[in-house]
Structures are given as structure tokens and as C-alpha cells.
Amino acid sequence: MQERIATIYEELYSGVKNKHYFANKFNVTTKTIENTIAKIEDIIYDKKLSAYRFATLLPKYIHHNLVVRLLQNSISNEIAKDDFLTISNILKENKEILLPMIPTQVLSSLTKKLIMLEVAICSNCIIKVEYIGNKKPMEIKYIKPHKINTSENSYYLYGSYDEQNKNNIGEYRSFAVNSMHNITPVEWLKGEKFFIEGIGNAYGMITKEKFVTLKLTASAANYFKRERQFSKEQYDFILEEADGAVVMKMYYNNLQEVIKLVQQWMPYICIENNPNLAQKVYRIIQKNMDVLLKNYEEA
């Protein structure tokens, strides 16, 4: 029974499900499913959706598989992430290892928010959020959540403004998860799918419509290869030259992403085959250097 309940939790974290789905999964009658779920106060039957869903965005328990899925992207080291996922797969596939459900109340505020956002995304729930932007007062926002993205260990929600927001209706943007407060459900929608496939970062989803070609010296290329950066979907390896230099394509949403990478690695990374973009990026970097030196001299 406990294993079945754990599986029901895991399934509902990926979206609402009806009793026929669970009956087929466990090879039992729908009446058995009704009796099993009736004992779980975290789960209710939503007549509008004609399916079971969590009663709140933060259930009392979470399956360990979802904790792994939510936190794996915060591991910036690709090799360590592989080990993390390997351990997760072993635990998932080895039926002799039965891990208990994890109480959500023992988790950090950040992870609780990630759980709530994941539930809202997968169950197509509009959310109301108190949001504090940079140098802005608290604002109330009504959001359709679409995807949780990570960027340098920070989490962002990629979402669109619902019509209840009144302003910027339908506009897509990223929201810093740590700036989100008091996330509450507004309405569960039937017949819509909020989740968006693909990868993203602090600036939104990467569509691969915008890219820049970069050349890395051998020393920079060795780092990228050693740390397996080329395996990230944001980069496409193009070629390696005889001296060890590498040419790669970088996809981006905001020019600041390119500026940051080139500035961080200068003079070991440069822009290829786009003199106009290169000039624009280098001028901004030069301006940043001038401001830094001025502040240093005045200190």
C-alpha cells in the first residue's frame, strides 16, 4: 500500500491523473483507487478537471525522484551531475531499495518554491505571486508558469502573464525564484498545457535563433573540454584547429550573455565572422574596464 501511495504522489507531481489511469497502472479496479486516494488528505478529486490533483501547491510529502529532478540542474559541474543522476537511477531501478517519502516541511524555502512551481506547471495552474524586482516595490503578478530554468546556480521561472494580471497580458518573461513570495494557486485549467520543452536561462528560453561564433584559444578550449561545457545545449562544437584552438557556436537570448562570457575569458575567447557584433561587444567591455579603473583610482 505504501509503495502504491508513493507512486501516486510521483505520478501527480508530473500532472493531474484520473482514476482509470491509476487503475490501469496498478492493475486494480477504479474502486480500489478511490479507496486508496480517499485516505490521502493531500489529494483531492477536481470535478472541473475530472481528475485527481494535489489539494495545494505544496503537498506534505514529495517523492525522492522529484527532489533529484528539481535539484540536479543546480549542479554546475557536469561530471558531478552525471554521478548524481547515476545514483538516482540506481535508487529508482533497484526495487529492493525502498526510500521513504520526504516531508516537504524539512526542505529549504527555495526548494519548497521549486516544488510549488513544478506542481503548478505540470497541473496547468495559474498562480498569484508577490514579486520583488530589482529596485522595485512588491508587486502582485498573475502568471501561467511554463518552465523552471537555471543559470549559474540561480533558479528562474519562465512564465507568461495571465489576463488577470491586467498589464502585459500574454507577455513572456523570466522571474527570479528567490524574488517570488507567497505563491498561491488561482485556477487549474483543463485542456491547456503550460509546460514548454527546451532549455533556458535567466533571460528566457533559448530558441537557437540568435547565435554568435566564438574562437577559443587552446587553453580556454582545454577548460571547456575538461569541464564538458561543449555537452551543454547552449553550445555547438564546430571545429578544432591544429594548434588546439576551437571554434564553437553559442546560442543566446540577450547580448549580455555574450558580453559576460567574452569579458570573463578575455583575451582567450573572441568573436569570429561578425565584425559589427564584435565591435559592439568589445566597446561595452572597454567601457566596463574604464569604469572599473576609474573607481579603483578614486578609491
Side-chain angles (χ1 to χ4, degrees):
M1 175 66 77
Q2 291 303 314
E3 186 176 351
R4 181 186 298 169
I5 291 175
T7 302
I8 289 173
Y9 266 86
E10 183 178 17
E11 290 287 344
L12 289 182
Y13 270 111
S14 66
V16 300
K17 303 287 189 303
N18 61 38
K19 59 186 177 182
H20 299 288
Y21 175 90
F22 287 123
N24 290 333
K25 184 171 185 65
F26 298 116
N27 194 26
V28 296
T29 65
T30 55
K31 188 64 178 177
T32 299
I33 295 300
E34 290 174 356
N35 292 336
T36 300
I37 294 181
K39 301 173 184 177
I40 311 172
E41 61 183 58
D42 260 348
I43 301 171
I44 65 171
Y45 181 78
D46 190 313
K47 291 183 179 179
K48 176 184 174 182
L49 302 178
S50 301
Y52 290 106
R53 64 167 173 84
F54 287 122
T56 68
L57 294 180
L58 185 66
K60 291 184 178 180
Y61 299 97
I62 183 172
H63 198 283
H64 69 275
N65 287 338
L66 181 61
V67 176
V68 169
R69 183 155 58 86
L70 284 175
L71 300 183
Q72 68 188 46
N73 287 331
S74 64
I75 302 176
S76 57
N77 186 290
E78 293 296 315
I79 300 172
K81 184 185 290 186
D82 275 355
D83 285 341
F84 187 72
L85 295 177
T86 297
I87 294 170
S88 171
N89 288 332
I90 290 172
L91 294 174
K92 186 176 182 179
E93 294 171 4
N94 192 334
K95 302 302 181 182
E96 295 179 1
I97 303 176
L98 294 178
L99 294 183
M101 299 288 284
I102 301 170
T104 55
Q105 290 305 314
V106 305
L107 302 174
S108 68
S109 173
L110 172 62
T111 301
K112 287 177 183 176
K113 285 189 280 189
L114 292 176
I115 293 170
M116 296 174 75
L117 295 174
E118 186 75 3
V119 169
I121 292 168
C122 293
S123 58
N124 308 317
C125 179
I126 299 168
I127 55 174
K128 176 184 175 182
V129 176
E130 294 180 6
Y131 191 79
I132 302 178
N134 292 333
K135 301 180 180 178
K136 291 183 179 180
M138 180 84 75
E139 296 178 299
I140 301 298
K141 298 181 181 293
Y142 291 86
I143 303 169
K144 289 183 178 180
H146 300 301
K147 182 74 183 293
I148 296 174
N149 293 325
T150 56
S151 181
E152 297 180 348
N153 297 330
S154 294
Y155 284 91
Y156 297 86
L157 172 70
Y158 184 66
S160 58
Y161 286 119
D162 182 66
E163 59 185 15
Q164 297 176 72
N165 200 69
K166 297 182 180 179
N167 297 320
N168 309 114
I169 296 172
E171 177 184 315
Y172 288 78
R173 59 157 291 186
S174 291
F175 303 87
V177 173
N178 272 330
S179 294
M180 303 175 76
H181 303 273
N182 295 327
I183 303 168
T184 56
V186 176
E187 181 182 6
W188 281 264
L189 299 184
K190 185 177 182 179
E192 279 198 47
K193 183 181 179 182
F194 285 5
F195 177 72
I196 292 178
E197 298 282 355
I199 60 169
N201 56 26
Y203 298 98
M205 301 301 292
I206 297 174
T207 63
K208 295 196 173 183
E209 293 178 0
K210 296 169 68 174
F211 66 88
V212 60
T213 302
L214 302 172
K215 184 173 182 179
L216 290 64
T217 64
S219 56
N222 285 337
Y223 172 85
F224 270 69
K225 286 186 284 188
R226 184 177 70 246
E227 300 299 326
R228 294 171 59 182
Q229 297 297 301
F230 291 124
S231 65
K232 294 184 176 180
E233 293 183 49
Q234 193 172 1
Y235 303 115
D236 271 347
F237 178 88
I238 297 177
L239 62 89
E240 183 170 5
E241 299 180 348
D243 62 355
V246 162
V247 178
M248 73 176 186
K249 186 182 289 185
M250 173 188 176
Y251 301 99
Y252 68 95
N253 287 314
N254 189 292
L255 189 62
Q256 185 60 38
E257 299 169 63
V258 181
I259 294 168
K260 185 174 182 179
L261 182 67
V262 174
Q263 185 170 271
Q264 178 183 2
W265 280 93
M266 62 180 188
Y268 306 108
I269 291 181
C270 64
I271 296 173
E272 288 267 288
N273 305 324
N274 194 331
N276 292 333
L277 183 65
Q279 189 177 54
K280 184 176 182 179
V281 169
Y282 298 158
R283 281 180 176 174
I284 294 173
I285 292 174
Q286 181 63 59
K287 182 179 179 180
N288 291 341
M289 289 296 298
D290 291 342
V291 173
L292 177 64
L293 290 172
K294 181 181 179 182
N295 292 340
Y296 172 75
E297 291 170 356
E298 292 177 353

